[in-house]
PDB file of all heavy atoms in Angstrom:
ATOM      1  N   LEU A 746       0.837  -1.237  -0.018  1.00  0.00           N
ATOM      2  CA  LEU A 746      -0.005  -0.002   0.019  1.00  0.00           C
ATOM      3  C   LEU A 746       0.857   1.280   0.043  1.00  0.00           C
ATOM      4  O   LEU A 746       0.564   2.286  -0.683  1.00  0.00           O
ATOM      5  CB  LEU A 746      -0.877   0.047   1.227  1.00  0.00           C
ATOM      6  CG  LEU A 746      -2.099   0.986   1.118  1.00  0.00           C
ATOM      7  CD1 LEU A 746      -2.973   0.766  -0.008  1.00  0.00           C
ATOM      8  CD2 LEU A 746      -2.872   1.004   2.379  1.00  0.00           C
ATOM      9  N   ALA A 747       2.028   1.184   0.746  1.00  0.00           N
ATOM     10  CA  ALA A 747       2.912   2.364   0.693  1.00  0.00           C
ATOM     11  C   ALA A 747       3.473   2.578  -0.712  1.00  0.00           C
ATOM     12  O   ALA A 747       3.707   3.694  -1.126  1.00  0.00           O
ATOM     13  CB  ALA A 747       4.074   2.141   1.762  1.00  0.00           C
ATOM     14  N   THR A 748       3.731   1.477  -1.477  1.00  0.00           N
ATOM     15  CA  THR A 748       4.149   1.576  -2.835  1.00  0.00           C
ATOM     16  C   THR A 748       3.195   2.205  -3.702  1.00  0.00           C
ATOM     17  O   THR A 748       3.400   3.082  -4.543  1.00  0.00           O
ATOM     18  CB  THR A 748       4.607   0.227  -3.329  1.00  0.00           C
ATOM     19  OG1 THR A 748       5.634  -0.305  -2.561  1.00  0.00           O
ATOM     20  CG2 THR A 748       5.018   0.292  -4.806  1.00  0.00           C
ATOM     21  N   ALA A 749       1.895   1.843  -3.537  1.00  0.00           N
ATOM     22  CA  ALA A 749       0.801   2.417  -4.303  1.00  0.00           C
ATOM     23  C   ALA A 749       0.749   3.925  -4.013  1.00  0.00           C
ATOM     24  O   ALA A 749       0.502   4.758  -4.916  1.00  0.00           O
ATOM     25  CB  ALA A 749      -0.508   1.719  -3.949  1.00  0.00           C
ATOM     26  N   LYS A 750       0.868   4.247  -2.774  1.00  0.00           N
ATOM     27  CA  LYS A 750       0.807   5.725  -2.414  1.00  0.00           C
ATOM     28  C   LYS A 750       2.042   6.468  -3.066  1.00  0.00           C
ATOM     29  O   LYS A 750       1.769   7.559  -3.561  1.00  0.00           O
ATOM     30  CB  LYS A 750       1.002   5.771  -0.812  1.00  0.00           C
ATOM     31  CG  LYS A 750       1.101   7.210  -0.315  1.00  0.00           C
ATOM     32  CD  LYS A 750      -0.109   8.047  -0.395  1.00  0.00           C
ATOM     33  CE  LYS A 750       0.012   9.343   0.354  1.00  0.00           C
ATOM     34  NZ  LYS A 750      -1.311  10.140   0.284  1.00  0.00           N
ATOM     35  N   ALA A 751       3.239   5.850  -2.976  1.00  0.00           N
ATOM     36  CA  ALA A 751       4.343   6.595  -3.635  1.00  0.00           C
ATOM     37  C   ALA A 751       4.206   6.732  -5.109  1.00  0.00           C
ATOM     38  O   ALA A 751       4.586   7.807  -5.605  1.00  0.00           O
ATOM     39  CB  ALA A 751       5.660   5.783  -3.267  1.00  0.00           C
ATOM     40  N   CYS A 752       3.679   5.728  -5.748  1.00  0.00           N
ATOM     41  CA  CYS A 752       3.463   5.808  -7.201  1.00  0.00           C
ATOM     42  C   CYS A 752       2.419   6.897  -7.522  1.00  0.00           C
ATOM     43  O   CYS A 752       2.538   7.594  -8.477  1.00  0.00           O
ATOM     44  CB  CYS A 752       3.002   4.445  -7.766  1.00  0.00           C
ATOM     45  SG  CYS A 752       4.343   3.214  -7.748  1.00  0.00           S
ATOM     46  N   TRP A 753       1.380   6.926  -6.668  1.00  0.00           N
ATOM     47  CA  TRP A 753       0.298   7.965  -6.865  1.00  0.00           C
ATOM     48  C   TRP A 753       0.852   9.380  -6.683  1.00  0.00           C
ATOM     49  O   TRP A 753       0.543  10.247  -7.539  1.00  0.00           O
ATOM     50  CB  TRP A 753      -0.900   7.670  -5.941  1.00  0.00           C
ATOM     51  CG  TRP A 753      -1.921   8.834  -5.936  1.00  0.00           C
ATOM     52  CD1 TRP A 753      -2.249   9.523  -4.817  1.00  0.00           C
ATOM     53  CD2 TRP A 753      -2.605   9.421  -6.995  1.00  0.00           C
ATOM     54  NE1 TRP A 753      -3.130  10.534  -5.162  1.00  0.00           N
ATOM     55  CE2 TRP A 753      -3.378  10.443  -6.480  1.00  0.00           C
ATOM     56  CE3 TRP A 753      -2.674   9.110  -8.363  1.00  0.00           C
ATOM     57  CZ2 TRP A 753      -4.211  11.262  -7.290  1.00  0.00           C
ATOM     58  CZ3 TRP A 753      -3.461   9.912  -9.166  1.00  0.00           C
ATOM     59  CH2 TRP A 753      -4.228  10.937  -8.624  1.00  0.00           C
ATOM     60  N   GLU A 754       1.609   9.604  -5.708  1.00  0.00           N
ATOM     61  CA  GLU A 754       2.201  10.968  -5.473  1.00  0.00           C
ATOM     62  C   GLU A 754       3.038  11.340  -6.582  1.00  0.00           C
ATOM     63  O   GLU A 754       3.116  12.548  -6.972  1.00  0.00           O
ATOM     64  CB  GLU A 754       2.981  10.924  -4.157  1.00  0.00           C
ATOM     65  CG  GLU A 754       2.069  10.812  -2.908  1.00  0.00           C
ATOM     66  CD  GLU A 754       1.111  11.959  -2.689  1.00  0.00           C
ATOM     67  OE1 GLU A 754       1.392  13.083  -3.175  1.00  0.00           O
ATOM     68  OE2 GLU A 754      -0.036  11.701  -2.169  1.00  0.00           O
ATOM     69  N   LYS A 755       3.767  10.411  -7.186  1.00  0.00           N
ATOM     70  CA  LYS A 755       4.639  10.671  -8.323  1.00  0.00           C
ATOM     71  C   LYS A 755       3.852  10.963  -9.564  1.00  0.00           C
ATOM     72  O   LYS A 755       4.175  11.853 -10.376  1.00  0.00           O
ATOM     73  CB  LYS A 755       5.567   9.513  -8.584  1.00  0.00           C
ATOM     74  CG  LYS A 755       6.592   9.773  -9.634  1.00  0.00           C
ATOM     75  CD  LYS A 755       7.568   8.539  -9.733  1.00  0.00           C
ATOM     76  CE  LYS A 755       8.610   8.761 -10.807  1.00  0.00           C
ATOM     77  NZ  LYS A 755       9.586   7.575 -10.897  1.00  0.00           N
ATOM     78  N   LEU A 756       2.744  10.252  -9.746  1.00  0.00           N
ATOM     79  CA  LEU A 756       1.880  10.363 -10.971  1.00  0.00           C
ATOM     80  C   LEU A 756       1.000  11.572 -10.891  1.00  0.00           C
ATOM     81  O   LEU A 756       0.586  12.176 -11.946  1.00  0.00           O
ATOM     82  CB  LEU A 756       1.139   9.071 -11.127  1.00  0.00           C
ATOM     83  CG  LEU A 756       0.219   8.941 -12.405  1.00  0.00           C
ATOM     84  CD1 LEU A 756       1.107   8.908 -13.611  1.00  0.00           C
ATOM     85  CD2 LEU A 756      -0.617   7.641 -12.303  1.00  0.00           C
ATOM     86  N   LYS A 757       0.479  11.904  -9.711  1.00  0.00           N
ATOM     87  CA  LYS A 757      -0.566  12.903  -9.528  1.00  0.00           C
ATOM     88  C   LYS A 757      -0.375  14.206 -10.264  1.00  0.00           C
ATOM     89  O   LYS A 757      -1.274  14.752 -10.885  1.00  0.00           O
ATOM     90  CB  LYS A 757      -0.811  13.122  -8.042  1.00  0.00           C
ATOM     91  CG  LYS A 757      -1.898  14.143  -7.700  1.00  0.00           C
ATOM     92  CD  LYS A 757      -2.329  14.021  -6.150  1.00  0.00           C
ATOM     93  CE  LYS A 757      -1.195  14.202  -5.301  1.00  0.00           C
ATOM     94  NZ  LYS A 757      -1.587  14.252  -3.826  1.00  0.00           N
ATOM     95  N   PRO A 758       0.868  14.818 -10.213  1.00  0.00           N
ATOM     96  CA  PRO A 758       1.069  16.143 -10.839  1.00  0.00           C
ATOM     97  C   PRO A 758       0.897  16.015 -12.345  1.00  0.00           C
ATOM     98  O   PRO A 758       0.575  17.033 -13.057  1.00  0.00           O
ATOM     99  CB  PRO A 758       2.516  16.490 -10.522  1.00  0.00           C
ATOM    100  CG  PRO A 758       2.812  15.709  -9.292  1.00  0.00           C
ATOM    101  CD  PRO A 758       2.077  14.461  -9.443  1.00  0.00           C
ATOM    102  N   CYS A 759       0.985  14.810 -12.945  1.00  0.00           N
ATOM    103  CA  CYS A 759       0.927  14.681 -14.417  1.00  0.00           C
ATOM    104  C   CYS A 759      -0.561  14.326 -14.821  1.00  0.00           C
ATOM    105  O   CYS A 759      -0.851  14.672 -15.987  1.00  0.00           O
ATOM    106  CB  CYS A 759       1.785  13.548 -14.840  1.00  0.00           C
ATOM    107  SG  CYS A 759       3.532  13.699 -14.343  1.00  0.00           S
ATOM    108  N   VAL A 760      -1.374  13.745 -13.972  1.00  0.00           N
ATOM    109  CA  VAL A 760      -2.675  13.269 -14.474  1.00  0.00           C
ATOM    110  C   VAL A 760      -3.853  13.950 -13.730  1.00  0.00           C
ATOM    111  O   VAL A 760      -5.032  13.724 -14.119  1.00  0.00           O
ATOM    112  CB  VAL A 760      -2.752  11.716 -14.247  1.00  0.00           C
ATOM    113  CG1 VAL A 760      -1.673  11.080 -15.067  1.00  0.00           C
ATOM    114  CG2 VAL A 760      -2.673  11.342 -12.777  1.00  0.00           C
ATOM    115  N   GLY A 761      -3.549  14.657 -12.653  1.00  0.00           N
ATOM    116  CA  GLY A 761      -4.704  15.244 -11.923  1.00  0.00           C
ATOM    117  C   GLY A 761      -5.303  14.287 -10.948  1.00  0.00           C
ATOM    118  O   GLY A 761      -4.864  13.137 -10.811  1.00  0.00           O
ATOM    119  N   MET A 762      -6.415  14.740 -10.309  1.00  0.00           N
ATOM    120  CA  MET A 762      -6.995  13.924  -9.170  1.00  0.00           C
ATOM    121  C   MET A 762      -7.870  12.849  -9.580  1.00  0.00           C
ATOM    122  O   MET A 762      -8.239  11.961  -8.799  1.00  0.00           O
ATOM    123  CB  MET A 762      -7.674  14.883  -8.207  1.00  0.00           C
ATOM    124  CG  MET A 762      -6.833  15.893  -7.597  1.00  0.00           C
ATOM    125  SD  MET A 762      -5.472  15.248  -6.533  1.00  0.00           S
ATOM    126  CE  MET A 762      -6.363  14.628  -5.198  1.00  0.00           C
ATOM    127  N   TYR A 763      -8.285  12.863 -10.837  1.00  0.00           N
ATOM    128  CA  TYR A 763      -9.275  11.820 -11.323  1.00  0.00           C
ATOM    129  C   TYR A 763      -8.621  10.771 -12.153  1.00  0.00           C
ATOM    130  O   TYR A 763      -8.642  10.847 -13.377  1.00  0.00           O
ATOM    131  CB  TYR A 763     -10.436  12.551 -12.044  1.00  0.00           C
ATOM    132  CG  TYR A 763     -11.159  13.562 -11.209  1.00  0.00           C
ATOM    133  CD1 TYR A 763     -10.742  14.947 -11.293  1.00  0.00           C
ATOM    134  CD2 TYR A 763     -12.057  13.168 -10.253  1.00  0.00           C
ATOM    135  CE1 TYR A 763     -11.479  15.874 -10.517  1.00  0.00           C
ATOM    136  CE2 TYR A 763     -12.729  14.125  -9.418  1.00  0.00           C
ATOM    137  CZ  TYR A 763     -12.423  15.441  -9.527  1.00  0.00           C
ATOM    138  OH  TYR A 763     -12.987  16.397  -8.716  1.00  0.00           O
ATOM    139  N   HIS A 764      -8.083   9.808 -11.463  1.00  0.00           N
ATOM    140  CA  HIS A 764      -7.245   8.778 -12.133  1.00  0.00           C
ATOM    141  C   HIS A 764      -7.397   7.469 -11.344  1.00  0.00           C
ATOM    142  O   HIS A 764      -7.355   7.531 -10.087  1.00  0.00           O
ATOM    143  CB  HIS A 764      -5.793   9.213 -12.278  1.00  0.00           C
ATOM    144  CG  HIS A 764      -4.918   8.336 -13.180  1.00  0.00           C
ATOM    145  ND1 HIS A 764      -4.462   7.144 -12.664  1.00  0.00           N
ATOM    146  CD2 HIS A 764      -4.620   8.463 -14.467  1.00  0.00           C
ATOM    147  CE1 HIS A 764      -3.741   6.602 -13.636  1.00  0.00           C
ATOM    148  NE2 HIS A 764      -3.852   7.353 -14.734  1.00  0.00           N
ATOM    149  N   PRO A 765      -7.466   6.305 -12.039  1.00  0.00           N
ATOM    150  CA  PRO A 765      -7.601   5.070 -11.262  1.00  0.00           C
ATOM    151  C   PRO A 765      -6.470   4.777 -10.334  1.00  0.00           C
ATOM    152  O   PRO A 765      -6.722   4.105  -9.260  1.00  0.00           O
ATOM    153  CB  PRO A 765      -7.747   4.019 -12.362  1.00  0.00           C
ATOM    154  CG  PRO A 765      -7.250   4.692 -13.570  1.00  0.00           C
ATOM    155  CD  PRO A 765      -7.534   6.102 -13.512  1.00  0.00           C
ATOM    156  N   ALA A 766      -5.269   5.276 -10.548  1.00  0.00           N
ATOM    157  CA  ALA A 766      -4.175   5.065  -9.670  1.00  0.00           C
ATOM    158  C   ALA A 766      -4.318   5.686  -8.315  1.00  0.00           C
ATOM    159  O   ALA A 766      -3.525   5.450  -7.366  1.00  0.00           O
ATOM    160  CB  ALA A 766      -2.864   5.441 -10.296  1.00  0.00           C
ATOM    161  N   ARG A 767      -5.309   6.571  -8.157  1.00  0.00           N
ATOM    162  CA  ARG A 767      -5.534   7.292  -6.856  1.00  0.00           C
ATOM    163  C   ARG A 767      -6.041   6.333  -5.793  1.00  0.00           C
ATOM    164  O   ARG A 767      -5.949   6.583  -4.657  1.00  0.00           O
ATOM    165  CB  ARG A 767      -6.548   8.381  -7.044  1.00  0.00           C
ATOM    166  CG  ARG A 767      -6.965   9.003  -5.780  1.00  0.00           C
ATOM    167  CD  ARG A 767      -7.851  10.247  -5.956  1.00  0.00           C
ATOM    168  NE  ARG A 767      -8.516  10.673  -4.730  1.00  0.00           N
ATOM    169  CZ  ARG A 767      -9.149  11.845  -4.528  1.00  0.00           C
ATOM    170  NH1 ARG A 767      -9.299  12.662  -5.602  1.00  0.00           N
ATOM    171  NH2 ARG A 767      -9.659  12.161  -3.338  1.00  0.00           N
ATOM    172  N   TYR A 768      -6.563   5.113  -6.310  1.00  0.00           N
ATOM    173  CA  TYR A 768      -7.178   4.197  -5.380  1.00  0.00           C
ATOM    174  C   TYR A 768      -6.388   2.861  -5.465  1.00  0.00           C
ATOM    175  O   TYR A 768      -5.699   2.589  -6.373  1.00  0.00           O
ATOM    176  CB  TYR A 768      -8.572   3.874  -5.798  1.00  0.00           C
ATOM    177  CG  TYR A 768      -9.472   5.093  -5.670  1.00  0.00           C
ATOM    178  CD1 TYR A 768      -9.595   6.031  -6.742  1.00  0.00           C
ATOM    179  CD2 TYR A 768     -10.172   5.379  -4.541  1.00  0.00           C
ATOM    180  CE1 TYR A 768     -10.343   7.213  -6.572  1.00  0.00           C
ATOM    181  CE2 TYR A 768     -10.950   6.521  -4.381  1.00  0.00           C
ATOM    182  CZ  TYR A 768     -11.041   7.487  -5.446  1.00  0.00           C
ATOM    183  OH  TYR A 768     -11.808   8.571  -5.290  1.00  0.00           O
ATOM    184  N   ALA A 769      -6.497   2.144  -4.333  1.00  0.00           N
ATOM    185  CA  ALA A 769      -5.840   0.799  -4.357  1.00  0.00           C
ATOM    186  C   ALA A 769      -6.819  -0.207  -3.871  1.00  0.00           C
ATOM    187  O   ALA A 769      -7.554  -0.051  -2.905  1.00  0.00           O
ATOM    188  CB  ALA A 769      -4.652   0.809  -3.349  1.00  0.00           C
ATOM    189  N   LEU A 770      -6.869  -1.391  -4.593  1.00  0.00           N
ATOM    190  CA  LEU A 770      -7.821  -2.448  -4.278  1.00  0.00           C
ATOM    191  C   LEU A 770      -7.260  -3.210  -2.992  1.00  0.00           C
ATOM    192  O   LEU A 770      -6.051  -3.580  -3.003  1.00  0.00           O
ATOM    193  CB  LEU A 770      -7.937  -3.382  -5.473  1.00  0.00           C
ATOM    194  CG  LEU A 770      -9.184  -4.280  -5.497  1.00  0.00           C
ATOM    195  CD1 LEU A 770     -10.424  -3.479  -5.581  1.00  0.00           C
ATOM    196  CD2 LEU A 770      -9.025  -5.248  -6.676  1.00  0.00           C
ATOM    197  N   VAL A 771      -8.196  -3.434  -2.064  1.00  0.00           N
ATOM    198  CA  VAL A 771      -7.776  -4.136  -0.868  1.00  0.00           C
ATOM    199  C   VAL A 771      -8.907  -5.105  -0.387  1.00  0.00           C
ATOM    200  O   VAL A 771      -9.975  -4.983  -0.939  1.00  0.00           O
ATOM    201  CB  VAL A 771      -7.475  -3.171   0.284  1.00  0.00           C
ATOM    202  CG1 VAL A 771      -6.415  -2.153  -0.118  1.00  0.00           C
ATOM    203  CG2 VAL A 771      -8.709  -2.453   0.753  1.00  0.00           C
ATOM    204  N   GLU A 772      -8.620  -5.952   0.505  1.00  0.00           N
ATOM    205  CA  GLU A 772      -9.674  -6.633   1.256  1.00  0.00           C
ATOM    206  C   GLU A 772      -9.757  -6.189   2.644  1.00  0.00           C
ATOM    207  O   GLU A 772      -8.708  -6.106   3.324  1.00  0.00           O
ATOM    208  CB  GLU A 772      -9.377  -8.183   1.238  1.00  0.00           C
ATOM    209  CG  GLU A 772     -10.491  -8.953   2.056  1.00  0.00           C
ATOM    210  CD  GLU A 772     -10.158 -10.425   2.092  1.00  0.00           C
ATOM    211  OE1 GLU A 772      -9.382 -10.943   1.261  1.00  0.00           O
ATOM    212  OE2 GLU A 772     -10.686 -11.126   2.987  1.00  0.00           O
ATOM    213  N   ILE A 773     -10.924  -5.714   3.122  1.00  0.00           N
ATOM    214  CA  ILE A 773     -11.033  -5.321   4.518  1.00  0.00           C
ATOM    215  C   ILE A 773     -11.590  -6.454   5.299  1.00  0.00           C
ATOM    216  O   ILE A 773     -12.418  -7.278   4.806  1.00  0.00           O
ATOM    217  CB  ILE A 773     -11.922  -4.084   4.718  1.00  0.00           C
ATOM    218  CG1 ILE A 773     -13.336  -4.330   4.308  1.00  0.00           C
ATOM    219  CG2 ILE A 773     -11.332  -2.902   3.899  1.00  0.00           C
ATOM    220  CD1 ILE A 773     -14.323  -3.226   4.770  1.00  0.00           C
ATOM    221  N   GLU A 774     -11.090  -6.632   6.547  1.00  0.00           N
ATOM    222  CA  GLU A 774     -11.555  -7.669   7.465  1.00  0.00           C
ATOM    223  C   GLU A 774     -11.894  -7.042   8.834  1.00  0.00           C
ATOM    224  O   GLU A 774     -11.239  -6.043   9.169  1.00  0.00           O
ATOM    225  CB  GLU A 774     -10.563  -8.787   7.574  1.00  0.00           C
ATOM    226  CG  GLU A 774     -10.362  -9.620   6.224  1.00  0.00           C
ATOM    227  CD  GLU A 774      -9.478 -10.796   6.476  1.00  0.00           C
ATOM    228  OE1 GLU A 774      -8.878 -10.960   7.533  1.00  0.00           O
ATOM    229  OE2 GLU A 774      -9.316 -11.569   5.485  1.00  0.00           O
ATOM    230  N   ASN A 775     -12.756  -7.694   9.586  1.00  0.00           N
ATOM    231  CA  ASN A 775     -13.104  -7.195  10.885  1.00  0.00           C
ATOM    232  C   ASN A 775     -12.072  -7.750  11.919  1.00  0.00           C
ATOM    233  O   ASN A 775     -11.880  -9.017  11.959  1.00  0.00           O
ATOM    234  CB  ASN A 775     -14.494  -7.617  11.264  1.00  0.00           C
ATOM    235  CG  ASN A 775     -14.941  -7.051  12.639  1.00  0.00           C
ATOM    236  OD1 ASN A 775     -14.269  -6.226  13.228  1.00  0.00           O
ATOM    237  ND2 ASN A 775     -16.140  -7.454  13.050  1.00  0.00           N
ATOM    238  N   LEU A 776     -11.452  -6.942  12.712  1.00  0.00           N
ATOM    239  CA  LEU A 776     -10.572  -7.386  13.717  1.00  0.00           C
ATOM    240  C   LEU A 776     -11.130  -8.393  14.632  1.00  0.00           C
ATOM    241  O   LEU A 776     -10.422  -9.288  15.221  1.00  0.00           O
ATOM    242  CB  LEU A 776     -10.159  -6.059  14.538  1.00  0.00           C
ATOM    243  CG  LEU A 776      -9.082  -6.258  15.694  1.00  0.00           C
ATOM    244  CD1 LEU A 776      -7.728  -6.622  15.010  1.00  0.00           C
ATOM    245  CD2 LEU A 776      -9.031  -5.041  16.551  1.00  0.00           C
ATOM    246  N   HIS A 777     -12.488  -8.327  14.785  1.00  0.00           N
ATOM    247  CA  HIS A 777     -13.194  -9.194  15.733  1.00  0.00           C
ATOM    248  C   HIS A 777     -13.789 -10.480  15.102  1.00  0.00           C
ATOM    249  O   HIS A 777     -14.552 -11.185  15.720  1.00  0.00           O
ATOM    250  CB  HIS A 777     -14.315  -8.394  16.391  1.00  0.00           C
ATOM    251  CG  HIS A 777     -13.791  -7.220  17.138  1.00  0.00           C
ATOM    252  ND1 HIS A 777     -13.258  -7.316  18.463  1.00  0.00           N
ATOM    253  CD2 HIS A 777     -13.627  -5.928  16.750  1.00  0.00           C
ATOM    254  CE1 HIS A 777     -12.844  -6.117  18.861  1.00  0.00           C
ATOM    255  NE2 HIS A 777     -13.096  -5.241  17.810  1.00  0.00           N
ATOM    256  N   ASP A 778     -13.407 -10.713  13.853  1.00  0.00           N
ATOM    257  CA  ASP A 778     -13.761 -11.988  13.191  1.00  0.00           C
ATOM    258  C   ASP A 778     -13.126 -13.164  13.904  1.00  0.00           C
ATOM    259  O   ASP A 778     -11.874 -13.177  14.080  1.00  0.00           O
ATOM    260  CB  ASP A 778     -13.302 -11.937  11.752  1.00  0.00           C
ATOM    261  CG  ASP A 778     -13.831 -13.105  10.891  1.00  0.00           C
ATOM    262  OD1 ASP A 778     -13.909 -14.243  11.460  1.00  0.00           O
ATOM    263  OD2 ASP A 778     -14.090 -12.916   9.694  1.00  0.00           O
TER     264      ASP A 778
END
């Protein structure tokens, strides 16, 4: 996720805020599962 963030920060000035790389696909889970 830190890598996705670093890539987005590098790409953002070139593509603006509306780009698929702004988001990262994840699985969320409940701590209490």
Side-chain angles (χ1 to χ4, degrees):
L746 194 61
T748 298
K750 173 72 170 180
C752 288
W753 167 240
E754 291 297 329
K755 185 176 179 180
L756 183 65
K757 181 167 54 174
C759 306
V760 299
M762 298 300 288
Y763 302 98
H764 190 277
R767 173 175 170 169
Y768 297 87
L770 198 64
V771 305
E772 178 182 339
I773 66 168
E774 294 185 352
N775 184 8
L776 183 68
H777 301 277
D778 188 324

